[in-house]
mmCIF file of all heavy atoms in Angstrom:
data_model
loop_
_atom_site.group_PDB
_atom_site.id
_atom_site.type_symbol
_atom_site.label_atom_id
_atom_site.label_comp_id
_atom_site.label_asym_id
_atom_site.label_seq_id
_atom_site.Cartn_x
_atom_site.Cartn_y
_atom_site.Cartn_z
ATOM 1 N N ALA A 178 20.946 -3.252 -16.810
ATOM 2 C CA ALA A 178 19.576 -3.692 -16.990
ATOM 3 C C ALA A 178 19.464 -5.175 -16.670
ATOM 4 O O ALA A 178 20.127 -6.012 -17.304
ATOM 5 C CB ALA A 178 19.115 -3.423 -18.426
ATOM 6 N N PHE A 179 18.631 -5.504 -15.714
ATOM 7 C CA PHE A 179 18.444 -6.896 -15.312
ATOM 8 C C PHE A 179 17.508 -7.602 -16.302
ATOM 9 O O PHE A 179 16.752 -6.961 -17.016
ATOM 10 C CB PHE A 179 17.904 -6.941 -13.880
ATOM 11 C CG PHE A 179 18.980 -6.729 -12.846
ATOM 12 C CD1 PHE A 179 19.576 -5.488 -12.690
ATOM 13 C CD2 PHE A 179 19.418 -7.771 -12.049
ATOM 14 C CE1 PHE A 179 20.580 -5.283 -11.758
ATOM 15 C CE2 PHE A 179 20.423 -7.584 -11.108
ATOM 16 C CZ PHE A 179 20.996 -6.339 -10.963
ATOM 17 N N PRO A 180 17.558 -8.946 -16.349
ATOM 18 C CA PRO A 180 16.801 -9.691 -17.357
ATOM 19 C C PRO A 180 15.294 -9.550 -17.202
ATOM 20 O O PRO A 180 14.781 -9.432 -16.096
ATOM 21 C CB PRO A 180 17.258 -11.129 -17.145
ATOM 22 C CG PRO A 180 17.796 -11.173 -15.762
ATOM 23 C CD PRO A 180 18.377 -9.842 -15.507
ATOM 24 N N ALA A 181 14.598 -9.578 -18.341
ATOM 25 C CA ALA A 181 13.138 -9.546 -18.383
ATOM 26 C C ALA A 181 12.646 -10.674 -19.271
ATOM 27 O O ALA A 181 13.315 -11.059 -20.230
ATOM 28 C CB ALA A 181 12.651 -8.203 -18.901
ATOM 29 N N MET A 182 11.462 -11.202 -18.957
ATOM 30 C CA MET A 182 10.937 -12.370 -19.658
ATOM 31 C C MET A 182 10.397 -12.035 -21.036
ATOM 32 O O MET A 182 10.472 -12.836 -21.959
ATOM 33 C CB MET A 182 9.841 -13.034 -18.826
ATOM 34 C CG MET A 182 9.349 -14.350 -19.367
ATOM 35 S SD MET A 182 8.170 -15.162 -18.268
ATOM 36 C CE MET A 182 6.752 -14.088 -18.436
ATOM 37 N N LEU A 183 9.820 -10.849 -21.205
ATOM 38 C CA LEU A 183 9.295 -10.459 -22.502
ATOM 39 C C LEU A 183 9.613 -8.993 -22.764
ATOM 40 O O LEU A 183 9.763 -8.214 -21.833
ATOM 41 C CB LEU A 183 7.786 -10.747 -22.621
ATOM 42 C CG LEU A 183 6.820 -10.029 -21.681
ATOM 43 C CD1 LEU A 183 6.392 -8.702 -22.257
ATOM 44 C CD2 LEU A 183 5.598 -10.898 -21.423
ATOM 45 N N PRO A 184 9.724 -8.615 -24.025
ATOM 46 C CA PRO A 184 10.171 -7.248 -24.353
ATOM 47 C C PRO A 184 9.085 -6.195 -24.165
ATOM 48 O O PRO A 184 7.962 -6.359 -24.606
ATOM 49 C CB PRO A 184 10.578 -7.357 -25.826
ATOM 50 C CG PRO A 184 9.734 -8.480 -26.369
ATOM 51 C CD PRO A 184 9.573 -9.458 -25.243
ATOM 52 N N LYS A 185 9.450 -5.118 -23.493
ATOM 53 C CA LYS A 185 8.626 -3.915 -23.422
ATOM 54 C C LYS A 185 9.572 -2.731 -23.250
ATOM 55 O O LYS A 185 10.616 -2.857 -22.590
ATOM 56 C CB LYS A 185 7.640 -3.949 -22.248
ATOM 57 C CG LYS A 185 6.351 -4.714 -22.553
ATOM 58 C CD LYS A 185 5.312 -4.494 -21.484
ATOM 59 C CE LYS A 185 4.708 -3.098 -21.542
ATOM 60 N NZ LYS A 185 3.886 -2.872 -22.760
ATOM 61 N N GLY A 186 9.212 -1.589 -23.830
ATOM 62 C CA GLY A 186 10.066 -0.418 -23.690
ATOM 63 C C GLY A 186 10.159 0.073 -22.268
ATOM 64 O O GLY A 186 11.177 0.612 -21.837
ATOM 65 N N SER A 187 9.085 -0.149 -21.495
ATOM 66 C CA SER A 187 9.066 0.219 -20.081
ATOM 67 C C SER A 187 8.376 -0.895 -19.312
ATOM 68 O O SER A 187 7.266 -1.296 -19.670
ATOM 69 C CB SER A 187 8.318 1.555 -19.879
ATOM 70 O OG SER A 187 8.239 1.890 -18.517
ATOM 71 N N GLU A 188 9.026 -1.379 -18.286
ATOM 72 C CA GLU A 188 8.460 -2.468 -17.473
ATOM 73 C C GLU A 188 7.157 -2.013 -16.824
ATOM 74 O O GLU A 188 6.983 -0.834 -16.543
ATOM 75 C CB GLU A 188 9.508 -2.868 -16.428
ATOM 76 C CG GLU A 188 9.042 -3.901 -15.411
ATOM 77 C CD GLU A 188 8.554 -3.266 -14.132
ATOM 78 O OE1 GLU A 188 8.538 -2.018 -14.033
ATOM 79 O OE2 GLU A 188 8.206 -4.013 -13.203
ATOM 80 N N THR A 189 6.256 -2.946 -16.596
ATOM 81 C CA THR A 189 4.937 -2.597 -16.073
ATOM 82 C C THR A 189 4.876 -2.689 -14.551
ATOM 83 O O THR A 189 5.701 -3.332 -13.923
ATOM 84 C CB THR A 189 3.853 -3.528 -16.630
ATOM 85 O OG1 THR A 189 4.052 -4.855 -16.111
ATOM 86 C CG2 THR A 189 3.896 -3.576 -18.155
ATOM 87 N N HIS A 190 3.847 -2.060 -14.006
ATOM 88 C CA HIS A 190 3.548 -2.208 -12.590
ATOM 89 C C HIS A 190 3.022 -3.621 -12.311
ATOM 90 O O HIS A 190 2.662 -4.354 -13.232
ATOM 91 C CB HIS A 190 2.487 -1.200 -12.169
ATOM 92 C CG HIS A 190 2.943 0.225 -12.282
ATOM 93 N ND1 HIS A 190 2.068 1.292 -12.278
ATOM 94 C CD2 HIS A 190 4.185 0.761 -12.389
ATOM 95 C CE1 HIS A 190 2.748 2.427 -12.381
ATOM 96 N NE2 HIS A 190 4.033 2.133 -12.453
ATOM 97 N N GLY A 191 2.951 -3.956 -11.027
ATOM 98 C CA GLY A 191 2.341 -5.209 -10.603
ATOM 99 C C GLY A 191 1.024 -4.905 -9.901
ATOM 100 O O GLY A 191 0.809 -3.795 -9.417
ATOM 101 N N GLY A 192 0.154 -5.891 -9.832
ATOM 102 C CA GLY A 192 -1.183 -5.664 -9.295
ATOM 103 C C GLY A 192 -1.423 -6.173 -7.888
ATOM 104 O O GLY A 192 -2.517 -5.990 -7.341
ATOM 105 N N GLU A 193 -0.419 -6.818 -7.264
ATOM 106 C CA GLU A 193 -0.656 -7.359 -5.921
ATOM 107 C C GLU A 193 -0.727 -6.254 -4.873
ATOM 108 O O GLU A 193 -0.356 -5.107 -5.121
ATOM 109 C CB GLU A 193 0.433 -8.365 -5.540
ATOM 110 C CG GLU A 193 1.814 -7.791 -5.356
ATOM 111 C CD GLU A 193 2.646 -7.822 -6.615
ATOM 112 O OE1 GLU A 193 2.069 -7.794 -7.715
ATOM 113 O OE2 GLU A 193 3.898 -7.861 -6.500
ATOM 114 N N ASP A 194 -1.251 -6.617 -3.715
ATOM 115 C CA ASP A 194 -1.386 -5.654 -2.622
ATOM 116 C C ASP A 194 -0.008 -5.144 -2.180
ATOM 117 O O ASP A 194 1.009 -5.798 -2.389
ATOM 118 C CB ASP A 194 -2.073 -6.306 -1.418
ATOM 119 C CG ASP A 194 -3.490 -6.765 -1.739
ATOM 120 O OD1 ASP A 194 -3.971 -6.459 -2.841
ATOM 121 O OD2 ASP A 194 -4.101 -7.430 -0.894
ATOM 122 N N VAL A 195 -0.016 -3.984 -1.536
ATOM 123 C CA VAL A 195 1.222 -3.410 -0.994
ATOM 124 C C VAL A 195 1.106 -3.323 0.512
ATOM 125 O O VAL A 195 0.010 -3.246 1.078
ATOM 126 C CB VAL A 195 1.521 -2.005 -1.584
ATOM 127 C CG1 VAL A 195 1.793 -2.108 -3.071
ATOM 128 C CG2 VAL A 195 0.372 -1.036 -1.284
ATOM 129 N N ALA A 196 2.255 -3.319 1.184
ATOM 130 C CA ALA A 196 2.277 -3.270 2.657
ATOM 131 C C ALA A 196 2.097 -1.832 3.133
ATOM 132 O O ALA A 196 2.476 -0.873 2.470
ATOM 133 C CB ALA A 196 3.585 -3.844 3.182
ATOM 134 N N VAL A 197 1.511 -1.703 4.326
ATOM 135 C CA VAL A 197 1.363 -0.412 5.007
ATOM 136 C C VAL A 197 1.942 -0.585 6.416
ATOM 137 O O VAL A 197 1.491 -1.444 7.179
ATOM 138 C CB VAL A 197 -0.109 0.011 5.114
ATOM 139 C CG1 VAL A 197 -0.220 1.410 5.727
ATOM 140 C CG2 VAL A 197 -0.797 -0.023 3.748
ATOM 141 N N TYR A 198 2.947 0.204 6.749
ATOM 142 C CA TYR A 198 3.622 0.126 8.039
ATOM 143 C C TYR A 198 3.252 1.392 8.830
ATOM 144 O O TYR A 198 3.271 2.495 8.282
ATOM 145 C CB TYR A 198 5.138 0.076 7.875
ATOM 146 C CG TYR A 198 5.630 -0.976 6.907
ATOM 147 C CD1 TYR A 198 5.626 -0.746 5.524
ATOM 148 C CD2 TYR A 198 6.125 -2.196 7.365
ATOM 149 C CE1 TYR A 198 6.089 -1.706 4.637
ATOM 150 C CE2 TYR A 198 6.592 -3.161 6.481
ATOM 151 C CZ TYR A 198 6.570 -2.916 5.125
ATOM 152 O OH TYR A 198 7.034 -3.870 4.242
ATOM 153 N N ALA A 199 2.931 1.235 10.134
ATOM 154 C CA ALA A 199 2.507 2.394 10.900
ATOM 155 C C ALA A 199 3.105 2.407 12.304
ATOM 156 O O ALA A 199 3.301 1.344 12.917
ATOM 157 C CB ALA A 199 0.974 2.430 11.002
ATOM 158 N N SER A 200 3.374 3.613 12.785
ATOM 159 C CA SER A 200 3.960 3.811 14.111
ATOM 160 C C SER A 200 3.448 5.125 14.679
ATOM 161 O O SER A 200 3.443 6.134 13.984
ATOM 162 C CB SER A 200 5.495 3.853 14.008
ATOM 163 O OG SER A 200 6.103 4.261 15.209
ATOM 164 N N GLY A 201 2.988 5.111 15.935
ATOM 165 C CA GLY A 201 2.503 6.331 16.562
ATOM 166 C C GLY A 201 1.032 6.229 16.904
ATOM 167 O O GLY A 201 0.452 5.149 16.917
ATOM 168 N N PRO A 202 0.379 7.388 17.200
ATOM 169 C CA PRO A 202 -1.017 7.386 17.611
ATOM 170 C C PRO A 202 -1.946 6.685 16.607
ATOM 171 O O PRO A 202 -1.884 6.972 15.418
ATOM 172 C CB PRO A 202 -1.355 8.865 17.740
ATOM 173 C CG PRO A 202 -0.049 9.528 18.025
ATOM 174 C CD PRO A 202 0.954 8.739 17.242
ATOM 175 N N TRP A 203 -2.739 5.767 17.120
ATOM 176 C CA TRP A 203 -3.740 5.036 16.339
ATOM 177 C C TRP A 203 -3.136 4.201 15.208
ATOM 178 O O TRP A 203 -3.810 3.830 14.256
ATOM 179 C CB TRP A 203 -4.804 5.986 15.788
ATOM 180 C CG TRP A 203 -5.604 6.619 16.868
ATOM 181 C CD1 TRP A 203 -5.409 7.850 17.429
ATOM 182 C CD2 TRP A 203 -6.695 6.019 17.585
ATOM 183 N NE1 TRP A 203 -6.308 8.073 18.440
ATOM 184 C CE2 TRP A 203 -7.128 6.977 18.566
ATOM 185 C CE3 TRP A 203 -7.375 4.810 17.497
ATOM 186 C CZ2 TRP A 203 -8.172 6.727 19.437
ATOM 187 C CZ3 TRP A 203 -8.434 4.573 18.362
ATOM 188 C CH2 TRP A 203 -8.823 5.508 19.317
ATOM 189 N N SER A 204 -1.855 3.874 15.331
ATOM 190 C CA SER A 204 -1.211 3.051 14.293
ATOM 191 C C SER A 204 -1.805 1.654 14.227
ATOM 192 O O SER A 204 -1.698 0.982 13.191
ATOM 193 C CB SER A 204 0.302 2.985 14.528
ATOM 194 O OG SER A 204 0.593 2.554 15.850
ATOM 195 N N HIS A 205 -2.464 1.219 15.307
ATOM 196 C CA HIS A 205 -3.087 -0.117 15.303
ATOM 197 C C HIS A 205 -4.254 -0.189 14.318
ATOM 198 O O HIS A 205 -4.712 -1.293 13.979
ATOM 199 C CB HIS A 205 -3.548 -0.511 16.712
ATOM 200 C CG HIS A 205 -4.451 0.488 17.356
ATOM 201 N ND1 HIS A 205 -3.992 1.647 17.950
ATOM 202 C CD2 HIS A 205 -5.814 0.512 17.486
ATOM 203 C CE1 HIS A 205 -5.017 2.337 18.434
ATOM 204 N NE2 HIS A 205 -6.130 1.666 18.169
ATOM 205 N N LEU A 206 -4.749 0.957 13.856
ATOM 206 C CA LEU A 206 -5.818 0.937 12.853
ATOM 207 C C LEU A 206 -5.340 0.379 11.509
ATOM 208 O O LEU A 206 -6.143 -0.097 10.708
ATOM 209 C CB LEU A 206 -6.349 2.353 12.623
ATOM 210 C CG LEU A 206 -7.051 3.054 13.789
ATOM 211 C CD1 LEU A 206 -7.482 4.454 13.342
ATOM 212 C CD2 LEU A 206 -8.248 2.249 14.265
ATOM 213 N N PHE A 207 -4.059 0.442 11.276
ATOM 214 C CA PHE A 207 -3.521 0.135 9.941
ATOM 215 C C PHE A 207 -3.215 -1.357 9.736
ATOM 216 O O PHE A 207 -2.436 -1.716 8.878
ATOM 217 C CB PHE A 207 -2.261 0.978 9.691
ATOM 218 C CG PHE A 207 -2.557 2.441 9.573
ATOM 219 C CD1 PHE A 207 -2.672 3.235 10.703
ATOM 220 C CD2 PHE A 207 -2.757 3.033 8.342
ATOM 221 C CE1 PHE A 207 -2.970 4.582 10.611
ATOM 222 C CE2 PHE A 207 -3.059 4.379 8.217
ATOM 223 C CZ PHE A 207 -3.165 5.170 9.359
ATOM 224 N N THR A 208 -3.843 -2.227 10.538
ATOM 225 C CA THR A 208 -3.636 -3.663 10.394
ATOM 226 C C THR A 208 -4.769 -4.285 9.573
ATOM 227 O O THR A 208 -5.833 -3.697 9.413
ATOM 228 C CB THR A 208 -3.577 -4.352 11.766
ATOM 229 O OG1 THR A 208 -4.773 -4.034 12.504
ATOM 230 C CG2 THR A 208 -2.373 -3.862 12.562
ATOM 231 N N GLY A 209 -4.505 -5.492 9.056
ATOM 232 C CA GLY A 209 -5.506 -6.179 8.249
ATOM 233 C C GLY A 209 -5.381 -5.843 6.787
ATOM 234 O O GLY A 209 -4.375 -5.298 6.319
ATOM 235 N N SER A 210 -6.420 -6.168 6.045
ATOM 236 C CA SER A 210 -6.455 -5.928 4.592
ATOM 237 C C SER A 210 -7.580 -4.939 4.300
ATOM 238 O O SER A 210 -8.697 -5.106 4.793
ATOM 239 C CB SER A 210 -6.691 -7.242 3.844
ATOM 240 O OG SER A 210 -6.811 -7.020 2.451
ATOM 241 N N TYR A 211 -7.285 -3.911 3.520
ATOM 242 C CA TYR A 211 -8.287 -2.884 3.266
ATOM 243 C C TYR A 211 -8.034 -2.206 1.923
ATOM 244 O O TYR A 211 -6.967 -2.346 1.312
ATOM 245 C CB TYR A 211 -8.301 -1.839 4.374
ATOM 246 C CG TYR A 211 -6.930 -1.476 4.915
ATOM 247 C CD1 TYR A 211 -6.106 -0.549 4.280
ATOM 248 C CD2 TYR A 211 -6.453 -2.074 6.079
ATOM 249 C CE1 TYR A 211 -4.858 -0.233 4.771
ATOM 250 C CE2 TYR A 211 -5.200 -1.762 6.597
ATOM 251 C CZ TYR A 211 -4.413 -0.846 5.938
ATOM 252 O OH TYR A 211 -3.162 -0.543 6.418
ATOM 253 N N GLU A 212 -9.015 -1.438 1.486
ATOM 254 C CA GLU A 212 -8.882 -0.679 0.245
ATOM 255 C C GLU A 212 -7.886 0.464 0.477
ATOM 256 O O GLU A 212 -7.828 1.048 1.575
ATOM 257 C CB GLU A 212 -10.228 -0.101 -0.178
ATOM 258 C CG GLU A 212 -11.289 -1.138 -0.492
ATOM 259 C CD GLU A 212 -11.044 -1.857 -1.807
ATOM 260 O OE1 GLU A 212 -10.088 -1.504 -2.520
ATOM 261 O OE2 GLU A 212 -11.828 -2.776 -2.120
ATOM 262 N N GLN A 213 -7.147 0.803 -0.546
ATOM 263 C CA GLN A 213 -6.129 1.851 -0.430
ATOM 264 C C GLN A 213 -6.715 3.199 -0.042
ATOM 265 O O GLN A 213 -6.079 3.983 0.668
ATOM 266 C CB GLN A 213 -5.385 1.946 -1.753
ATOM 267 C CG GLN A 213 -4.127 2.781 -1.717
ATOM 268 C CD GLN A 213 -3.358 2.687 -3.031
ATOM 269 O OE1 GLN A 213 -3.943 2.736 -4.109
ATOM 270 N NE2 GLN A 213 -2.057 2.542 -2.950
ATOM 271 N N ASN A 214 -7.946 3.468 -0.465
ATOM 272 C CA ASN A 214 -8.539 4.772 -0.184
ATOM 273 C C ASN A 214 -8.909 4.967 1.285
ATOM 274 O O ASN A 214 -9.250 6.074 1.696
ATOM 275 C CB ASN A 214 -9.790 4.987 -1.048
ATOM 276 C CG ASN A 214 -10.923 4.052 -0.652
ATOM 277 O OD1 ASN A 214 -10.837 2.847 -0.878
ATOM 278 N ND2 ASN A 214 -11.969 4.599 -0.049
ATOM 279 N N VAL A 215 -8.820 3.907 2.100
ATOM 280 C CA VAL A 215 -9.120 4.029 3.523
ATOM 281 C C VAL A 215 -7.968 4.721 4.269
ATOM 282 O O VAL A 215 -8.157 5.324 5.328
ATOM 283 C CB VAL A 215 -9.394 2.636 4.138
ATOM 284 C CG1 VAL A 215 -9.620 2.716 5.647
ATOM 285 C CG2 VAL A 215 -10.583 1.996 3.454
ATOM 286 N N ILE A 216 -6.757 4.665 3.703
ATOM 287 C CA ILE A 216 -5.558 5.161 4.392
ATOM 288 C C ILE A 216 -5.689 6.611 4.859
ATOM 289 O O ILE A 216 -5.434 6.916 6.031
ATOM 290 C CB ILE A 216 -4.308 4.968 3.522
ATOM 291 C CG1 ILE A 216 -4.018 3.461 3.353
ATOM 292 C CG2 ILE A 216 -3.104 5.678 4.107
ATOM 293 C CD1 ILE A 216 -2.906 3.153 2.363
ATOM 294 N N PRO A 217 -6.082 7.581 4.009
ATOM 295 C CA PRO A 217 -6.159 8.960 4.498
ATOM 296 C C PRO A 217 -7.244 9.154 5.557
ATOM 297 O O PRO A 217 -7.118 10.027 6.425
ATOM 298 C CB PRO A 217 -6.458 9.779 3.229
ATOM 299 C CG PRO A 217 -7.082 8.809 2.300
ATOM 300 C CD PRO A 217 -6.398 7.496 2.569
ATOM 301 N N HIS A 218 -8.305 8.342 5.484
ATOM 302 C CA HIS A 218 -9.357 8.470 6.488
ATOM 303 C C HIS A 218 -8.854 8.007 7.858
ATOM 304 O O HIS A 218 -9.237 8.590 8.894
ATOM 305 C CB HIS A 218 -10.565 7.645 6.057
ATOM 306 C CG HIS A 218 -11.208 8.142 4.796
ATOM 307 N ND1 HIS A 218 -11.900 9.347 4.739
ATOM 308 C CD2 HIS A 218 -11.251 7.632 3.545
ATOM 309 C CE1 HIS A 218 -12.344 9.531 3.501
ATOM 310 N NE2 HIS A 218 -11.958 8.514 2.755
ATOM 311 N N MET A 219 -8.000 6.979 7.897
ATOM 312 C CA MET A 219 -7.433 6.543 9.167
ATOM 313 C C MET A 219 -6.443 7.579 9.703
ATOM 314 O O MET A 219 -6.391 7.839 10.904
ATOM 315 C CB MET A 219 -6.770 5.171 9.000
ATOM 316 C CG MET A 219 -7.769 4.054 8.737
ATOM 317 S SD MET A 219 -7.082 2.384 8.855
ATOM 318 C CE MET A 219 -6.086 2.279 7.352
ATOM 319 N N MET A 220 -5.644 8.181 8.825
ATOM 320 C CA MET A 220 -4.726 9.234 9.264
ATOM 321 C C MET A 220 -5.505 10.437 9.769
ATOM 322 O O MET A 220 -5.132 11.065 10.772
ATOM 323 C CB MET A 220 -3.798 9.643 8.097
ATOM 324 C CG MET A 220 -2.813 8.558 7.689
ATOM 325 S SD MET A 220 -1.528 9.115 6.519
ATOM 326 C CE MET A 220 -2.513 9.410 5.046
ATOM 327 N N ALA A 221 -6.604 10.781 9.100
ATOM 328 C CA ALA A 221 -7.432 11.916 9.517
ATOM 329 C C ALA A 221 -8.100 11.625 10.850
ATOM 330 O O ALA A 221 -8.238 12.517 11.703
ATOM 331 C CB ALA A 221 -8.488 12.212 8.444
ATOM 332 N N TYR A 222 -8.535 10.392 11.052
ATOM 333 C CA TYR A 222 -9.146 10.001 12.322
ATOM 334 C C TYR A 222 -8.146 10.216 13.463
ATOM 335 O O TYR A 222 -8.485 10.780 14.510
ATOM 336 C CB TYR A 222 -9.568 8.532 12.264
ATOM 337 C CG TYR A 222 -10.199 8.025 13.557
ATOM 338 C CD1 TYR A 222 -11.562 8.171 13.761
ATOM 339 C CD2 TYR A 222 -9.421 7.430 14.542
ATOM 340 C CE1 TYR A 222 -12.153 7.724 14.940
ATOM 341 C CE2 TYR A 222 -9.997 6.980 15.725
ATOM 342 C CZ TYR A 222 -11.362 7.124 15.925
ATOM 343 O OH TYR A 222 -11.933 6.687 17.089
ATOM 344 N N ALA A 223 -6.911 9.771 13.236
ATOM 345 C CA ALA A 223 -5.884 9.866 14.284
ATOM 346 C C ALA A 223 -5.543 11.311 14.626
ATOM 347 O O ALA A 223 -5.193 11.618 15.776
ATOM 348 C CB ALA A 223 -4.620 9.133 13.845
#
């Protein structure tokens, strides 16, 4: 178990954005900053 700054029984998630990596048809749509719920719509478009 690596060190933690304050005690919790289970470490929490973080709130920062996450990366999206894409390769293949229409993968250029996946650039920029967007809401997470846009991802399936871009896959469906492709």
Side-chain angles (χ1 to χ4, degrees):
F179 281 70
M182 187 175 71
L183 63 88
K185 277 191 72 68
S187 177
E188 175 264 3
T189 68
H190 295 163
E193 67 268 27
D194 298 353
V195 295
V197 185
Y198 309 81
S200 170
W203 295 97
S204 53
H205 54 281
L206 295 180
F207 293 83
T208 56
S210 176
Y211 38 82
E212 298 287 356
Q213 192 173 43
N214 68 290
V215 177
I216 293 173
H218 296 291
M219 292 192 287
M220 293 190 292
Y222 179 88

